[in-house]
């Protein structure tokens, strides 16, 4: 049986909210007086209600992991995933509770921490490695391996400010991939870079856990990668630990619980439009063009209707993009309207996703409003959430149909007589 | 599972004792060196003059002081050749103010790194001091060259007070770092401190004998000698090179005691707040 390497006990994290201003000095003095002179404990850790001026980002989290485990952390945005990682990696102290562990812990919350744009790739490689806790000797001994992994050998003596973002990420991740540590904490860093490099990174991380028996804490919105990589997982919701166990079951519980269908959102009735000073979304709806049954399946064409108020001033043109995502995964497609100058006022839009195009799965739609084809004015994320059921004309096969999409392109066969 | 299992480290909400973590700091000595190197190199990258700015900067300042204070305002230099007088004053003052104004930005300028990765935060101020030590030594060598020239021509003579030199330099660094560490914590929270500190540094220069000799300070203002720990440091620095009458040794001791107190307070406060300060930045 493997040993416990990390134990998190009753960890809570309190954050004050609001803007610091001329009144913050007075508040600071007040709270200093309360804690140090009148010895009143503030904040009160038991009273965990939400309020306007503070938030409990983590509420009494308890878990432990064994050596060689790969722990995935799932949860919605703002559920406390990043705070947990930061607390475990000693970046911020917990408000209550303690974290105990053994061995060297390294956190990779961002690729290329401390990269200096004026320094060359090689110099940054050393600097970044040392920031992450490697010694100079260690880096030198692995230098060839790191350079080889990064694939930016030719540019090593160029200042990184001239690097493309892809090269930058490659170089940065290469250092991180060769870290020699007992516990590695990784946050969403795989979301950057092209897919080929992402695969390489995930492969490298798999190597790290399976071959060298290192312990990993991993946060990703890519549940597929998380499920493949991790053997255990925890699920956080509003700072609470709601699920802990085998990664496959935690992920499926999470997906089932989070699975909500939103086929229509209408803000006109309540006058609480979503948007900002440029855009106010009035309504959005998904109208499936059902054929026989009232169920969205892979053959159902989906009509998206939306209306919004254009409050953007000036003669800039506007385009609206519709993005379709796998729930907890990658973007399937992005499609947009032709950039046109519109007068201020209400605009209606539609987008038709044809039948026999999407594969079965759980999807969500994000609408993005773009000014002058470049600047995102407003993004309405997860505007619509829906399920696409499997549809087969031929009922003899029930295995999962492969692919991101399931179009009906004609595949024709012809028999030739020998 | 064995219960008497040994944890190697523990992060707890209520730490009773403040550990200075000197051993940990020693493990990060490579990072200190790299940071110092980065600071030095990056500052002069893509400049035409490169590292020669290290020499040009103090020379230009000295010449400017020479013109303004010696030729226009006509301040006495206690019989010391004006070039050497202003150069020595500027050398130590520049070192002090550089050390202070870079350590006080420890959290503000490195927030993006500190919010992503852990290492002992003391690495940053120490590496900053290292960078300025290097710059100081280059400028010091330049000063010595010019000084030697004057010495050969018989205009100046070194004195026994030169033995105080290492201690004076250490005192200057310690004072700058001590103040810098305290300010760095508060600067992360209150931006008001930034204009205040710039203002403070400018005023401090005028109550420190940088461009005038301490002998000009009138008797009724003698309290400045113990109220401003920089005055004795500055005087003992100059006394090593030009045998002018140095100030009373007791002032130097008071200066050291104040410096040490500030440094210890700064160090303890810095260690206490080094992580939680990131919540407020």
């Amino acid at each position: 049986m493997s040993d416990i390497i990390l134990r998190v006990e009753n960890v809570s994290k309190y954050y004050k909210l609001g803007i610091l201003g001329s009144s913050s000095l007075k508040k600071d003095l007040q709270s200093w007086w309360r804690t140090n002179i009148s010895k009143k404990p503030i904040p009160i850790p038991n009273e965990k209600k939400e309020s306007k001026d503070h938030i409990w980002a983590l509420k009494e989290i308890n878990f432990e992991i064994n050596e060689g485990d790969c722990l995935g952390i799932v949860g919605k945005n703002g559920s406390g995933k990043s705070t947990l990682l930061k607390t475990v990696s000693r970046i911020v102290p917990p408000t209550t509770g303690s974290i105990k562990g053994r061995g060297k812990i390294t956190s990779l919350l961002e690729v290329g921490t401390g990269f200096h744009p004026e320094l060359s790739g090689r110099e940054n490689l050393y600097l970044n490695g040392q920031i992450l806790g490697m010694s100079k000797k260690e880096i030198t001994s692995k230098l060839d391996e790191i350079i080889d992994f990064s694939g930016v050998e030719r540019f090593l003596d160029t200042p990184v400010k001239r690097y493309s973002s892809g090269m930058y990420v490659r170089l940065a991740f290469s250092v991180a991939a060769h870290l020699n540590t007992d516990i590695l904490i990784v946050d969403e860093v795989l979301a950057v870079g092209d897919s080929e490099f992402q695969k390489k990174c995930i492969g490298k991380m798999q190597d790290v856990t399976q071959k060298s028996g290192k312990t990993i804490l991993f946060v990703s919105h890519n549940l597929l990668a998380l499920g493949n990589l991790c053997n255990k997982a925890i699920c956080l919701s509003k700072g609470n630990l709601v699920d802990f166990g085998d990664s496959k079951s935690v992920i499926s519980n999470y997906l089932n619980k989070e699975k909500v269908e939103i086929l229509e959102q209408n803000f006109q009735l309540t006058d609480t439009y979503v948007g900002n000073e440029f855009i106010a979304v009035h309504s959005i709806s998904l109208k499936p063009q059902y054929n026989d049954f009232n169920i969205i399946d892979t053959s159902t064409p989906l009509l998206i209707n939306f209306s919004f108020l254009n409050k953007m001033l000036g003669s800039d043109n506007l385009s609206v993009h519709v993005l379709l995502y796998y729930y907890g995964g990658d973007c399937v497609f992005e499609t947009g309207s032709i950039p046109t100058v519109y007068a201020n006022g209400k605009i209606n839009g539609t987008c038709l996703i044809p039948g026999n195009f999407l594969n079965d799965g759980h999807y969500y739609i994000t609408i993005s409003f773009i000014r002058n084809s470049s600047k995102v004015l407003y993004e309405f994320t997860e505007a619509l959430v829906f399920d696409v059921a499997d549809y087969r004309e031929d009922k003899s096969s029930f295995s999962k149909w492969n692919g991101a999409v399931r179009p009906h392109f004609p595949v024709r066969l012809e028999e030739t007589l020998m | 599972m064995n219960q008497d299992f040994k944890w190697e480290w523990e992060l707890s909400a209520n730490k009773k004792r403040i550990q200075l973590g000197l051993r940990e700091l020693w493990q990060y000595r490579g990072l200190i060196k790299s940071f110092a190197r980065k600071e030095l190199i990056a500052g002069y990258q893509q400049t035409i003059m490169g590292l020669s700015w290290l020499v040009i900067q103090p020379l230009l300042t000295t010449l400017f002081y020479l013109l303004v204070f010696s030729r226009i305002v006509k301040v006495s230099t206690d019989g010391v050749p004006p070039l050497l007088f202003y150069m020595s004053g500027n050398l130590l003052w520049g070192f002090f103010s550089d050390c202070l104004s870079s350590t006080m930005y420890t959290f503000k300028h490195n927030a993006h790194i500190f919010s992503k990765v852990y290492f002992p935060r003391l690495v940053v101020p120490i590496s900053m001091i290292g960078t300025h030590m290097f710059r100081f030594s280059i400028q010091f060598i330049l000063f010595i060259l010019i000084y030697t020239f004057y010495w050969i021509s018989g205009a100046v003579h070194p004195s026994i007070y030169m033995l105080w030199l290492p201690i004076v330099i250490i005192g200057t660094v310690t004072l700058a770092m001590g103040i810098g560490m305290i300010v760095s914590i508060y600067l992360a929270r209150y931006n008001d401190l930034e204009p205040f500190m710039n203002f403070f540094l400018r005023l401090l220069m005028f109550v420190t004998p940088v461009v005038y000799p301490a002998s000009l300070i009138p008797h009724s203002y003698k309290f400045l000698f113990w109220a401003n720990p920089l005055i004795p440091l500055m005087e003992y620095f100059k006394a090593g090179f030009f045998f002018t009458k140095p100030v009373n040794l007791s002032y130097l001791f008071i200066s050291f005691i104040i410096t040490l107190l500030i440094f210890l307070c700064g160090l303890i406060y810095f260690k206490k707040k080094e992580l939680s300060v990131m919540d407020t930045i």
Side-chain angles (χ1 to χ4, degrees):
Chain A
M1 184 187 161
S2 45
D3 288 328
I4 299 167
I5 195 165
L6 185 79
R7 176 184 284 164
V8 174
E9 279 175 341
N10 280 325
V11 166
S12 301
K13 180 70 191 165
Y14 170 93
Y15 277 112
K16 276 180 203 155
L17 297 178
I19 302 160
L20 291 175
S22 50
S23 64
S24 55
L25 181 62
K26 191 181 144 202
K27 276 188 198 155
D28 280 358
L29 289 174
Q30 278 174 345
S31 73
W32 178 82
W33 183 270
R34 258 181 301 204
T35 44
N36 292 12
I37 306 295
S38 41
K39 300 279 179 199
K40 272 183 208 157
I42 186 133
I44 308 142
N46 304 327
E47 195 187 305
K48 305 220 160 136
K49 351 177 243 196
E50 299 303 314
S51 120
K52 258 190 175 171
D53 59 344
H54 71 260
I55 186 173
W56 285 95
L58 294 175
K59 297 170 195 167
E60 292 180 345
I61 304 290
N62 285 290
F63 66 90
E64 51 188 34
I65 48 176
N66 293 333
E67 214 172 322
D69 272 350
C70 180
L71 181 84
I73 302 169
V74 296
K76 282 200 274 193
N77 284 333
S79 57
K81 299 186 301 272
S82 296
T83 310
L84 180 63
L85 290 196
K86 281 190 178 182
T87 317
V88 174
S89 49
R90 292 178 83 173
I91 292 164
V92 293
T95 311
T96 66
S98 67
I99 298 158
K100 293 170 188 165
R102 288 184 294 125
K104 195 168 157 192
I105 188 160
T106 309
S107 55
L108 196 59
L109 305 191
E110 175 194 62
V111 286
T113 305
F115 264 37
H116 196 291
E118 294 284 356
L119 297 184
S120 74
R122 192 189 305 274
E123 284 166 322
N124 269 312
L125 206 146
Y126 273 99
L127 186 65
N128 185 236
Q130 284 179 313
I131 287 177
L132 294 173
M134 284 206 253
S135 71
K136 201 166 183 174
K137 227 161 80 189
E138 221 177 304
I139 302 170
T140 311
S141 70
K142 289 180 180 168
L143 195 63
D144 292 337
E145 223 180 307
I146 296 175
I147 294 170
D148 197 46
F149 189 84
S150 71
V152 294
E153 200 176 348
R154 278 177 55 209
F155 310 99
L156 264 191
D157 295 308
T158 312
V160 294
K161 64 178 177 182
R162 298 195 216 292
Y163 276 35
S164 73
S165 52
M167 280 155 61
Y168 187 93
V169 166
R170 274 155 188 275
L171 184 71
F173 192 85
S174 310
V175 187
H178 293 84
L179 281 173
N180 185 16
T181 181
D182 300 308
I183 307 174
L184 181 66
I185 297 180
V186 187
D187 184 10
E188 211 56 88
V189 282
L190 301 176
V192 288
D194 52 51
S195 58
E196 190 199 340
F197 193 70
Q198 275 183 29
K199 269 184 210 151
K200 205 170 162 183
C201 297
I202 292 181
K204 181 79 195 174
M205 284 187 41
Q206 250 159 354
D207 265 17
V208 167
T209 35
Q210 281 155 15
K211 284 190 192 140
S212 48
K214 281 179 194 151
T215 311
I216 294 187
L217 267 77
F218 183 47
V219 164
S220 177
H221 278 116
N222 190 335
L223 296 177
L224 211 66
L226 202 134
N228 284 337
L229 201 61
C230 303
N231 60 336
K232 281 188 184 171
I234 58 176
C235 179
L236 294 178
S237 171
K238 289 180 184 163
N240 292 300
L241 193 145
V242 290
D243 202 0
F244 175 46
D246 172 62
S247 70
K248 297 275 188 306
S249 72
V250 171
I251 291 169
S252 71
N253 285 346
Y254 169 67
L255 278 178
N256 283 331
K257 198 168 46 174
E258 294 298 317
K259 209 181 218 170
V260 272
E261 281 209 330
I262 305 171
L263 293 185
E264 186 172 7
Q265 292 204 64
N266 199 330
F267 303 102
Q268 276 165 306
L269 307 169
T270 51
D271 263 7
T272 48
Y273 303 126
V274 289
N276 54 18
E277 67 261 47
F278 305 113
I279 297 292
V281 179
H282 282 184
S283 67
I284 180 159
S285 65
L286 184 85
K287 295 259 182 310
Q289 326 246 288
Y290 297 121
N291 11 5
D292 300 339
F293 311 101
N294 279 359
I295 186 166
I296 304 172
D297 64 36
T298 53
S299 70
T300 318
L302 304 167
L303 183 67
I304 301 158
N305 286 308
F306 54 91
S307 69
F308 62 96
L309 197 63
N310 175 23
K311 297 188 282 185
M312 188 177 77
L313 295 173
S315 57
D316 293 336
N317 62 44
L318 177 76
S319 56
V320 179
H321 282 219
V322 174
L323 294 93
L324 185 89
Y325 287 88
Y326 280 122
Y327 209 84
D330 300 327
C331 182
V332 181
F333 69 74
E334 172 175 2
T335 180
S337 67
I338 300 158
T340 315
V341 180
Y342 295 99
N344 284 5
K346 196 174 164 182
I347 296 171
N348 291 319
T350 57
C351 175
L352 181 73
I353 303 172
N356 293 324
F357 173 64
L358 295 180
N359 205 344
D360 60 310
H362 197 53
Y363 294 95
Y364 71 89
I365 279 173
T366 292
I367 301 254
S368 175
F369 299 88
I370 296 165
R371 171 194 239 161
N372 284 340
S373 319
S374 56
K375 192 183 178 296
V376 176
L377 285 178
Y378 179 65
E379 198 160 66
F380 185 18
T381 49
E382 300 190 24
L384 297 168
V385 184
F386 59 95
D387 258 321
V388 174
D390 195 13
Y391 173 78
R392 302 276 164 95
E393 279 167 337
D394 172 18
K395 306 269 185 201
S396 59
S397 158
F398 284 101
S399 61
K400 165 85 182 157
W401 200 283
N402 285 325
V405 292
R406 198 201 276 190
H408 275 208
F409 297 140
V411 178
R412 299 196 198 290
L413 302 177
E414 214 173 293
E415 270 183 312
T416 48
L417 297 169
M418 300 291 278
Chain B
M1 183 180 54
N2 45 341
Q3 281 299 318
D4 56 333
F5 182 92
K6 250 186 99 186
W7 298 108
E8 286 173 13
W9 47 264
E10 179 176 352
L11 319 172
S12 178
N14 25 15
K15 249 189 284 181
K16 289 277 178 287
R17 269 173 56 236
I18 293 164
Q19 287 164 327
L20 292 182
L22 291 180
R23 195 205 266 168
E24 191 187 23
L25 208 57
W26 177 247
Q27 284 166 353
Y28 277 91
R29 64 193 183 278
L31 184 60
I32 295 179
K33 246 165 76 186
S34 282
F35 265 139
R37 223 177 82 86
K38 173 198 88 170
E39 198 59 30
L40 196 70
I41 293 176
Y44 297 102
Q45 204 74 265
Q46 220 176 7
T47 57
I48 299 164
M49 315 283 252
L51 285 178
S52 51
W53 271 114
L54 279 181
V55 176
I56 296 167
Q57 226 169 350
L59 271 183
L60 282 178
T61 317
T62 305
L63 289 176
F64 192 74
Y65 284 175
L66 189 74
L67 184 76
V68 175
F69 294 107
S70 177
R71 298 282 187 275
I72 300 176
V73 192
K74 295 201 168 63
V75 186
S76 142
T77 58
D78 265 3
V80 175
L83 182 72
L84 285 182
F85 183 84
Y86 294 123
M87 200 166 181
S88 61
N90 184 41
L91 188 61
L92 196 72
W93 169 257
F95 182 47
F96 173 80
S97 85
D98 281 352
C99 285
L100 174 54
S101 55
S102 59
T103 47
M104 74 182 197
Y105 285 116
T106 299
F107 292 99
K108 202 173 167 64
H109 285 176
N110 293 292
H112 59 288
I113 299 178
F114 288 176
S115 66
K116 297 294 178 196
V117 66
Y118 171 81
F119 51 84
R121 303 314 189 206
L122 268 178
V123 161
V124 172
I126 292 174
S127 66
M128 290 286 185
I129 299 286
T131 310
H132 292 303
M133 278 283 207
F134 178 79
R135 289 161 69 154
F136 175 76
S137 22
I138 299 279
Q139 290 166 6
F140 189 72
I141 290 167
L142 176 75
F143 172 72
I144 293 294
L145 288 178
I146 298 174
Y147 179 80
T148 316
F149 178 77
Y150 275 88
W151 182 24
I152 291 166
S153 66
V156 285
H157 299 284
S159 75
I160 189 76
Y161 287 103
M162 206 169 256
L163 294 176
W164 284 103
L165 212 59
I167 297 176
V168 166
I169 292 169
I170 289 169
T172 310
V173 174
T174 317
L175 183 64
M177 197 175 157
I179 302 174
M181 284 190 295
I182 299 174
V183 175
S184 69
I185 302 276
Y186 285 106
L187 189 70
R189 188 157 171 76
Y190 301 109
N191 280 336
D192 312 53
L193 264 180
E194 190 175 339
F196 173 80
M197 283 308 288
N198 290 332
F199 185 62
F200 168 79
L201 269 177
R202 215 172 310 157
L203 293 189
L204 187 64
M205 183 179 148
F206 287 111
V207 292
T208 306
V210 179
V211 292
Y212 57 86
S215 59
L216 278 191
I217 299 175
H219 215 73
S220 51
Y221 284 91
K222 279 285 184 225
F223 70 90
L224 278 177
F225 281 99
W226 54 265
N228 177 1
L230 264 181
I231 297 181
L233 291 172
M234 186 61 90
E235 281 313 288
Y236 272 80
F237 183 73
K238 283 180 180 170
F241 297 101
F242 330 110
F243 188 69
T244 52
K245 202 176 81 211
V247 297
N248 201 324
L249 197 63
S250 60
Y251 287 129
L252 191 64
F253 275 115
I254 294 172
S255 162
F256 279 150
I257 289 166
I258 295 176
T259 299
L260 209 63
L261 276 178
I262 292 178
F263 180 77
L264 285 178
C265 286
L267 189 65
I268 291 168
Y269 194 60
F270 188 94
K271 282 308 282 187
K272 197 177 162 195
K273 291 280 180 181
E274 64 175 351
L275 294 179
S276 59
V277 70
M278 289 310 295
D279 288 347
T280 61
I281 207 159

